[in-house]
Amino acid sequence: MSIYRLNWPDLDAAIRPGLESVQAHQLDLAGHRALRLDRVSGDHPPDWADTLNEMTGLPFDQAVRSASALLLVDLGDASFAISFGHGRHLLDRYAWERDFGLRVALRTLSPRRVAEVTRTALDTGARLDLTCVPAGAGVREFGIEQHTDLVKHIGGHADSLDLGWTGGRGGRVRLDGRDALKIRLTPDPAGLVRDLRAIQAAAESEPVPDLAFMEGIRPLTGGSRLRTAEDALAARIAAPPDGGRTGDPVGVSLPVELLGADVTGLTVLFQGRTEQVESVDLLLIRRLLAPVRLDQRYAALREATVLATVDGQTVPAETSLGQWLVADLTIDGERYVFQQGRFYVLTDSYRQALRKEVERLMAQPIGWTLPPWPVGMSERDYNEKEAGGRGFVCLDRGLVTSRVHPQGIEVCDLVSPDNQLICVKRAGRSAALSHLFGQAIVAAEAIVQGDETWSGLLDRLPEPRRAAMPRRPDFVFGIQLTKGS
């Protein structure tokens, strides 16, 4: 079941308007007002029946029926909605608090028993990455970039959340946090109320220190900066695409709540009009907003609705049109990123701190040199030649496996005489450098957080070199920027 914390105490106001075939029950839940909604669909063929009939020429005569329910509870200082089946779609989309489940998870999960992380990079690509380690692993093994990755979901085992059904035995609670908190609850009314109180207390506590960095990027919630960002986004949407000359800072992405859903149809509700569409893209958004006055454009984007028909659900999933839009804007020297319907500000302080750290690293002396890279020699031949003497060890193409990286990763290409890990690359284009730096980041995080990768690295070294290898070795980049020596 999934728990949502409501934005207002009025339970009736949290219900999605216009619902049909819903039975409502007013309840007293251990002394607290509660409202239960039940919805059962009539018998109907599955969404894929027509396609199967056409493929085979035989009728599919079986019918399906789906059920969902929603339990809303007013505790006085907080109100919650508990979803059963697809009951979430019985809620008004503005009724619940965004990232509530994520907030609870970051305050209760064991940082050594994280099982899943979904994150997105703060750019117009807005790629959603899901990393899953069912047995659990250290949070740093997931390779989350503190300043540029926006964590939208995290799951694992909680050590500090005392729920009634656990019998006081910690570490048994498995939870997933995003907008909702997916968790097992005590079924009896008094126990359920106690569990909700415990979850509410956890939400208002301090985050687990090793997980707190995931809250470093927070959305704007009001003030002049938010209004400035909204105006800038409205103006940028109105501007025509630049044909790729400088890169259009506006794009589209899938709302995170539809991640993994089998969407079979999309309907856009915009200012009283209804339009069936095959996809939501930038051309559609610009076309819809073109007749709207510039000062009303952001509000129209936010209020427009996209209904997604999902296979197996009788109630369409409802999202704002704004949740499909992504933008990367520079306003008065500051970078604003719009994703999932909210603005985030990336200040210049991070870039300044990063520049100082790079300058410090570049100033450090190295007690050895790599030989010139002859014209026409491959990277593999260069590394093997270098490993032939002068105290270097070649690990090129030697993969090290772990639970997080079952297919294996290449930790480095060479190990220096001083036990530094060297990543070698001929870089005629920036993409090659990006690959090189990414290799080092993944390897460094795996070594620091995982004993498996560390042990695998030692196994690939000659026996006399293993004892001298530091637990946190330095990485050095060997880059040939031009063709030739």
mmCIF file with all atom_site columns, all heavy atoms in Angstrom, residues 95-107:
data_model
loop_
_atom_site.group_PDB
_atom_site.id
_atom_site.type_symbol
_atom_site.label_atom_id
_atom_site.label_alt_id
_atom_site.label_comp_id
_atom_site.label_asym_id
_atom_site.label_entity_id
_atom_site.label_seq_id
_atom_site.pdbx_PDB_ins_code
_atom_site.Cartn_x
_atom_site.Cartn_y
_atom_site.Cartn_z
_atom_site.occupancy
_atom_site.B_iso_or_equiv
_atom_site.pdbx_formal_charge
_atom_site.auth_seq_id
_atom_site.auth_comp_id
_atom_site.auth_asym_id
_atom_site.auth_atom_id
_atom_site.pdbx_PDB_model_num
ATOM 1   N N   . ALA A 1 95  ? -3.608 17.423 -4.302 1.00 0.00 ? 95  ALA A N   1
ATOM 2   C CA  . ALA A 1 95  ? -3.976 17.156 -2.916 1.00 0.00 ? 95  ALA A CA  1
ATOM 3   C C   . ALA A 1 95  ? -2.817 16.661 -2.074 1.00 0.00 ? 95  ALA A C   1
ATOM 4   O O   . ALA A 1 95  ? -2.802 16.857 -0.863 1.00 0.00 ? 95  ALA A O   1
ATOM 5   C CB  . ALA A 1 95  ? -5.115 16.133 -2.863 1.00 0.00 ? 95  ALA A CB  1
ATOM 6   N N   . TRP A 1 96  ? -1.834 15.998 -2.680 1.00 0.00 ? 96  TRP A N   1
ATOM 7   C CA  . TRP A 1 96  ? -0.784 15.394 -1.872 1.00 0.00 ? 96  TRP A CA  1
ATOM 8   C C   . TRP A 1 96  ? 0.521  16.180 -1.940 1.00 0.00 ? 96  TRP A C   1
ATOM 9   O O   . TRP A 1 96  ? 0.803  16.912 -2.878 1.00 0.00 ? 96  TRP A O   1
ATOM 10  C CB  . TRP A 1 96  ? -0.556 13.932 -2.273 1.00 0.00 ? 96  TRP A CB  1
ATOM 11  C CG  . TRP A 1 96  ? 0.052  13.712 -3.632 1.00 0.00 ? 96  TRP A CG  1
ATOM 12  C CD1 . TRP A 1 96  ? 1.356  13.809 -3.972 1.00 0.00 ? 96  TRP A CD1 1
ATOM 13  C CD2 . TRP A 1 96  ? -0.633 13.341 -4.832 1.00 0.00 ? 96  TRP A CD2 1
ATOM 14  N NE1 . TRP A 1 96  ? 1.544  13.521 -5.291 1.00 0.00 ? 96  TRP A NE1 1
ATOM 15  C CE2 . TRP A 1 96  ? 0.339  13.223 -5.842 1.00 0.00 ? 96  TRP A CE2 1
ATOM 16  C CE3 . TRP A 1 96  ? -1.972 13.072 -5.135 1.00 0.00 ? 96  TRP A CE3 1
ATOM 17  C CZ2 . TRP A 1 96  ? 0.009  12.862 -7.137 1.00 0.00 ? 96  TRP A CZ2 1
ATOM 18  C CZ3 . TRP A 1 96  ? -2.290 12.711 -6.423 1.00 0.00 ? 96  TRP A CZ3 1
ATOM 19  C CH2 . TRP A 1 96  ? -1.311 12.608 -7.416 1.00 0.00 ? 96  TRP A CH2 1
ATOM 20  N N   . GLU A 1 97  ? 1.325  15.972 -0.940 1.00 0.00 ? 97  GLU A N   1
ATOM 21  C CA  . GLU A 1 97  ? 2.618  16.646 -0.807 1.00 0.00 ? 97  GLU A CA  1
ATOM 22  C C   . GLU A 1 97  ? 3.653  15.939 -1.672 1.00 0.00 ? 97  GLU A C   1
ATOM 23  O O   . GLU A 1 97  ? 3.853  14.734 -1.564 1.00 0.00 ? 97  GLU A O   1
ATOM 24  C CB  . GLU A 1 97  ? 3.058  16.618 0.659  1.00 0.00 ? 97  GLU A CB  1
ATOM 25  C CG  . GLU A 1 97  ? 4.400  17.255 0.937  1.00 0.00 ? 97  GLU A CG  1
ATOM 26  C CD  . GLU A 1 97  ? 4.788  17.125 2.400  1.00 0.00 ? 97  GLU A CD  1
ATOM 27  O OE1 . GLU A 1 97  ? 3.878  17.179 3.259  1.00 0.00 ? 97  GLU A OE1 1
ATOM 28  O OE2 . GLU A 1 97  ? 5.991  16.957 2.687  1.00 0.00 ? 97  GLU A OE2 1
ATOM 29  N N   . ARG A 1 98  ? 4.309  16.696 -2.519 1.00 0.00 ? 98  ARG A N   1
ATOM 30  C CA  . ARG A 1 98  ? 5.339  16.130 -3.378 1.00 0.00 ? 98  ARG A CA  1
ATOM 31  C C   . ARG A 1 98  ? 6.542  15.675 -2.546 1.00 0.00 ? 98  ARG A C   1
ATOM 32  O O   . ARG A 1 98  ? 6.949  16.328 -1.592 1.00 0.00 ? 98  ARG A O   1
ATOM 33  C CB  . ARG A 1 98  ? 5.793  17.159 -4.418 1.00 0.00 ? 98  ARG A CB  1
ATOM 34  C CG  . ARG A 1 98  ? 4.712  17.654 -5.357 1.00 0.00 ? 98  ARG A CG  1
ATOM 35  C CD  . ARG A 1 98  ? 4.369  16.654 -6.427 1.00 0.00 ? 98  ARG A CD  1
ATOM 36  N NE  . ARG A 1 98  ? 5.464  16.448 -7.364 1.00 0.00 ? 98  ARG A NE  1
ATOM 37  C CZ  . ARG A 1 98  ? 5.662  17.183 -8.458 1.00 0.00 ? 98  ARG A CZ  1
ATOM 38  N NH1 . ARG A 1 98  ? 4.833  18.174 -8.757 1.00 0.00 ? 98  ARG A NH1 1
ATOM 39  N NH2 . ARG A 1 98  ? 6.673  16.929 -9.271 1.00 0.00 ? 98  ARG A NH2 1
ATOM 40  N N   . ASP A 1 99  ? 7.122  14.529 -2.903 1.00 0.00 ? 99  ASP A N   1
ATOM 41  C CA  . ASP A 1 99  ? 8.342  13.989 -2.294 1.00 0.00 ? 99  ASP A CA  1
ATOM 42  C C   . ASP A 1 99  ? 8.185  13.623 -0.822 1.00 0.00 ? 99  ASP A C   1
ATOM 43  O O   . ASP A 1 99  ? 9.185  13.490 -0.113 1.00 0.00 ? 99  ASP A O   1
ATOM 44  C CB  . ASP A 1 99  ? 9.510  14.973 -2.450 1.00 0.00 ? 99  ASP A CB  1
ATOM 45  C CG  . ASP A 1 99  ? 9.939  15.163 -3.889 1.00 0.00 ? 99  ASP A CG  1
ATOM 46  O OD1 . ASP A 1 99  ? 9.713  14.245 -4.694 1.00 0.00 ? 99  ASP A OD1 1
ATOM 47  O OD2 . ASP A 1 99  ? 10.490 16.232 -4.210 1.00 0.00 ? 99  ASP A OD2 1
ATOM 48  N N   . PHE A 1 100 ? 6.946  13.429 -0.350 1.00 0.00 ? 100 PHE A N   1
ATOM 49  C CA  . PHE A 1 100 ? 6.771  13.056 1.052  1.00 0.00 ? 100 PHE A CA  1
ATOM 50  C C   . PHE A 1 100 ? 7.423  11.708 1.355  1.00 0.00 ? 100 PHE A C   1
ATOM 51  O O   . PHE A 1 100 ? 8.142  11.547 2.351  1.00 0.00 ? 100 PHE A O   1
ATOM 52  C CB  . PHE A 1 100 ? 5.285  13.010 1.408  1.00 0.00 ? 100 PHE A CB  1
ATOM 53  C CG  . PHE A 1 100 ? 5.015  12.347 2.734  1.00 0.00 ? 100 PHE A CG  1
ATOM 54  C CD1 . PHE A 1 100 ? 5.370  12.966 3.926  1.00 0.00 ? 100 PHE A CD1 1
ATOM 55  C CD2 . PHE A 1 100 ? 4.422  11.088 2.783  1.00 0.00 ? 100 PHE A CD2 1
ATOM 56  C CE1 . PHE A 1 100 ? 5.139  12.340 5.145  1.00 0.00 ? 100 PHE A CE1 1
ATOM 57  C CE2 . PHE A 1 100 ? 4.179  10.466 3.987  1.00 0.00 ? 100 PHE A CE2 1
ATOM 58  C CZ  . PHE A 1 100 ? 4.537  11.094 5.172  1.00 0.00 ? 100 PHE A CZ  1
ATOM 59  N N   . GLY A 1 101 ? 7.174  10.712 0.510  1.00 0.00 ? 101 GLY A N   1
ATOM 60  C CA  . GLY A 1 101 ? 7.760  9.402  0.738  1.00 0.00 ? 101 GLY A CA  1
ATOM 61  C C   . GLY A 1 101 ? 9.273  9.436  0.699  1.00 0.00 ? 101 GLY A C   1
ATOM 62  O O   . GLY A 1 101 ? 9.955  8.767  1.493  1.00 0.00 ? 101 GLY A O   1
ATOM 63  N N   . LEU A 1 102 ? 9.834  10.225 -0.217 1.00 0.00 ? 102 LEU A N   1
ATOM 64  C CA  . LEU A 1 102 ? 11.284 10.388 -0.287 1.00 0.00 ? 102 LEU A CA  1
ATOM 65  C C   . LEU A 1 102 ? 11.812 11.013 1.001  1.00 0.00 ? 102 LEU A C   1
ATOM 66  O O   . LEU A 1 102 ? 12.857 10.612 1.533  1.00 0.00 ? 102 LEU A O   1
ATOM 67  C CB  . LEU A 1 102 ? 11.646 11.256 -1.491 1.00 0.00 ? 102 LEU A CB  1
ATOM 68  C CG  . LEU A 1 102 ? 13.127 11.543 -1.719 1.00 0.00 ? 102 LEU A CG  1
ATOM 69  C CD1 . LEU A 1 102 ? 13.889 10.258 -2.013 1.00 0.00 ? 102 LEU A CD1 1
ATOM 70  C CD2 . LEU A 1 102 ? 13.307 12.535 -2.863 1.00 0.00 ? 102 LEU A CD2 1
ATOM 71  N N   . ARG A 1 103 ? 11.082 11.994 1.535  1.00 0.00 ? 103 ARG A N   1
ATOM 72  C CA  . ARG A 1 103 ? 11.488 12.657 2.774  1.00 0.00 ? 103 ARG A CA  1
ATOM 73  C C   . ARG A 1 103 ? 11.567 11.653 3.932  1.00 0.00 ? 103 ARG A C   1
ATOM 74  O O   . ARG A 1 103 ? 12.538 11.643 4.699  1.00 0.00 ? 103 ARG A O   1
ATOM 75  C CB  . ARG A 1 103 ? 10.492 13.771 3.102  1.00 0.00 ? 103 ARG A CB  1
ATOM 76  C CG  . ARG A 1 103 ? 10.775 14.516 4.395  1.00 0.00 ? 103 ARG A CG  1
ATOM 77  C CD  . ARG A 1 103 ? 9.734  15.594 4.664  1.00 0.00 ? 103 ARG A CD  1
ATOM 78  N NE  . ARG A 1 103 ? 9.989  16.257 5.924  1.00 0.00 ? 103 ARG A NE  1
ATOM 79  C CZ  . ARG A 1 103 ? 10.790 17.306 6.077  1.00 0.00 ? 103 ARG A CZ  1
ATOM 80  N NH1 . ARG A 1 103 ? 11.399 17.803 5.013  1.00 0.00 ? 103 ARG A NH1 1
ATOM 81  N NH2 . ARG A 1 103 ? 10.987 17.852 7.255  1.00 0.00 ? 103 ARG A NH2 1
ATOM 82  N N   . VAL A 1 104 ? 10.562 10.789 4.044  1.00 0.00 ? 104 VAL A N   1
ATOM 83  C CA  . VAL A 1 104 ? 10.572 9.785  5.116  1.00 0.00 ? 104 VAL A CA  1
ATOM 84  C C   . VAL A 1 104 ? 11.716 8.796  4.909  1.00 0.00 ? 104 VAL A C   1
ATOM 85  O O   . VAL A 1 104 ? 12.427 8.433  5.854  1.00 0.00 ? 104 VAL A O   1
ATOM 86  C CB  . VAL A 1 104 ? 9.222  9.055  5.176  1.00 0.00 ? 104 VAL A CB  1
ATOM 87  C CG1 . VAL A 1 104 ? 9.267  7.926  6.210  1.00 0.00 ? 104 VAL A CG1 1
ATOM 88  C CG2 . VAL A 1 104 ? 8.101  10.031 5.522  1.00 0.00 ? 104 VAL A CG2 1
ATOM 89  N N   . ALA A 1 105 ? 11.905 8.358  3.677  1.00 0.00 ? 105 ALA A N   1
ATOM 90  C CA  . ALA A 1 105 ? 12.950 7.368  3.391  1.00 0.00 ? 105 ALA A CA  1
ATOM 91  C C   . ALA A 1 105 ? 14.332 7.895  3.763  1.00 0.00 ? 105 ALA A C   1
ATOM 92  O O   . ALA A 1 105 ? 15.157 7.158  4.323  1.00 0.00 ? 105 ALA A O   1
ATOM 93  C CB  . ALA A 1 105 ? 12.907 6.983  1.912  1.00 0.00 ? 105 ALA A CB  1
ATOM 94  N N   . LEU A 1 106 ? 14.618 9.157  3.470  1.00 0.00 ? 106 LEU A N   1
ATOM 95  C CA  . LEU A 1 106 ? 15.929 9.726  3.770  1.00 0.00 ? 106 LEU A CA  1
ATOM 96  C C   . LEU A 1 106 ? 16.153 9.905  5.261  1.00 0.00 ? 106 LEU A C   1
ATOM 97  O O   . LEU A 1 106 ? 17.282 10.166 5.691  1.00 0.00 ? 106 LEU A O   1
ATOM 98  C CB  . LEU A 1 106 ? 16.095 11.070 3.055  1.00 0.00 ? 106 LEU A CB  1
ATOM 99  C CG  . LEU A 1 106 ? 16.086 11.022 1.524  1.00 0.00 ? 106 LEU A CG  1
ATOM 100 C CD1 . LEU A 1 106 ? 16.297 12.408 0.937  1.00 0.00 ? 106 LEU A CD1 1
ATOM 101 C CD2 . LEU A 1 106 ? 17.130 10.042 1.000  1.00 0.00 ? 106 LEU A CD2 1
ATOM 102 N N   . ARG A 1 107 ? 15.112 9.740  6.065  1.00 0.00 ? 107 ARG A N   1
ATOM 103 C CA  . ARG A 1 107 ? 15.225 9.868  7.518  1.00 0.00 ? 107 ARG A CA  1
ATOM 104 C C   . ARG A 1 107 ? 15.142 8.533  8.248  1.00 0.00 ? 107 ARG A C   1
ATOM 105 O O   . ARG A 1 107 ? 15.282 8.506  9.475  1.00 0.00 ? 107 ARG A O   1
ATOM 106 C CB  . ARG A 1 107 ? 14.120 10.817 8.018  1.00 0.00 ? 107 ARG A CB  1
ATOM 107 C CG  . ARG A 1 107 ? 14.434 12.259 7.691  1.00 0.00 ? 107 ARG A CG  1
ATOM 108 C CD  . ARG A 1 107 ? 13.207 13.132 7.578  1.00 0.00 ? 107 ARG A CD  1
ATOM 109 N NE  . ARG A 1 107 ? 13.604 14.522 7.376  1.00 0.00 ? 107 ARG A NE  1
ATOM 110 C CZ  . ARG A 1 107 ? 14.009 15.012 6.201  1.00 0.00 ? 107 ARG A CZ  1
ATOM 111 N NH1 . ARG A 1 107 ? 14.052 14.234 5.134  1.00 0.00 ? 107 ARG A NH1 1
ATOM 112 N NH2 . ARG A 1 107 ? 14.387 16.278 6.101  1.00 0.00 ? 107 ARG A NH2 1
#
